[in-house]
Amino acid sequence: TETILRNELEEQYQYIMVDEFQDTNEAQMSLVRAISSHPVHEGHPNVCVVGDDDQAIYKFQGADISHIINFRDNLYKDVKTIVLDKNYRSTKPILDLARTIIMQGGERLENKYANITKILSSESINLPKGSINISTYTSDVAEYAHVAREVRKILDSGTEPNDVAILSRE
């Protein structure tokens, strides 16, 4: 029965795309493996995944960032990696600051693979300059209260919000 279902799904879905791949859990990964594991593919099924290890936030729901590494190293052969390095939402100073912070993480694809460089360029010339506000908090609650007050100020002012970066806690 499992083989029949897999064969039907493989025939129906000849191309698979998984977005937000960094947030896949084991059940979702099992489905991808089951649909794409037929020997006829010879390790080269029509599977495309889109993910960013720096945005992995659903571990509490069972997401496992190792799926990205296993996809590339163990699951499929000759995986082609395309790094999207153009950003249209943030200014260069925000991107540079974010990179400084994110580079502190050791378990990043960029640290594991020589052919992955995630240096983003700011491509939107229409963004306002914005400002970077560095704040230090004594607790999570103090940080959340400050952010809530700042959001309220922006909403009450009726103006477009600038980029804001919250950097550290004591």
Side-chain angles (χ1 to χ4, degrees), residues 105-132:
E107 298 295 318
R108 300 183 64 248
L109 296 178
E110 188 172 14
N111 298 341
K112 183 170 176 55
Y113 301 106
N115 68 332
I116 294 179
T117 303
K118 294 169 65 176
I119 299 173
L120 300 178
S121 63
S122 181
E123 298 295 321
S124 181
I125 58 173
N126 298 325
L127 289 175
K129 277 230 179 217
S131 62
I132 298 173

Side-chain angles (χ1 to χ4, degrees), residues 54 85 87 89-104 108 110 117-123 127 129 131-132 134 163-165 167:
D54 293 331
D85 58 3
N87 181 292
R89 296 180 180 176
S90 299
T91 61
K92 185 68 172 147
I94 290 291
L95 295 176
D96 291 344
L97 179 60
R99 182 165 176 75
T100 300
I101 295 167
I102 203 75
M103 286 299 292
Q104 295 174 28
R108 300 183 64 248
E110 188 172 14
T117 303
K118 294 169 65 176
I119 299 173
L120 300 178
S121 63
S122 181
E123 298 295 321
L127 289 175
K129 277 230 179 217
S131 62
I132 298 173
I134 301 173
D163 286 337
V164 176
L167 295 182

Side-chain angles (χ1 to χ4, degrees), residues 61-79:
Q61 290 183 339
D64 189 347
I65 194 65
S66 70
H67 293 152
I68 291 177
I69 293 167
N70 289 332
F71 182 92
R72 185 180 160 130
D73 291 351
N74 304 321
L75 196 54
Y76 302 108
K77 299 176 183 173
D78 305 319
V79 170

Side-chain angles (χ1 to χ4, degrees), residues 7 24 47-48 56 63 81 99 105 116 121 130-133 145 158 168:
N7 290 342
T24 55
V47 177
C48 171
T81 302
R99 182 165 176 75
I116 294 179
S121 63
S131 62
I132 298 173
N133 302 315
S168 63

Side-chain angles (χ1 to χ4, degrees), residues 17 32 42-43 80 88 94-95 101 137 149 159:
M17 182 188 159
V32 172
E42 298 178 344
K80 182 175 182 176
Y88 296 91
I94 290 291
L95 295 176
I101 295 167
Y137 305 95
R149 283 191 302 274
T159 61

Side-chain angles (χ1 to χ4, degrees), residues 20-43:
E20 301 294 344
F21 191 63
Q22 74 276 0
D23 294 328
T24 55
N25 60 36
E26 190 53 42
Q28 293 162 326
M29 231 8 254
S30 293
L31 285 171
V32 172
R33 279 192 298 267
I35 294 173
S36 64
S37 65
H38 195 282
V40 73
H41 298 303
E42 298 178 344

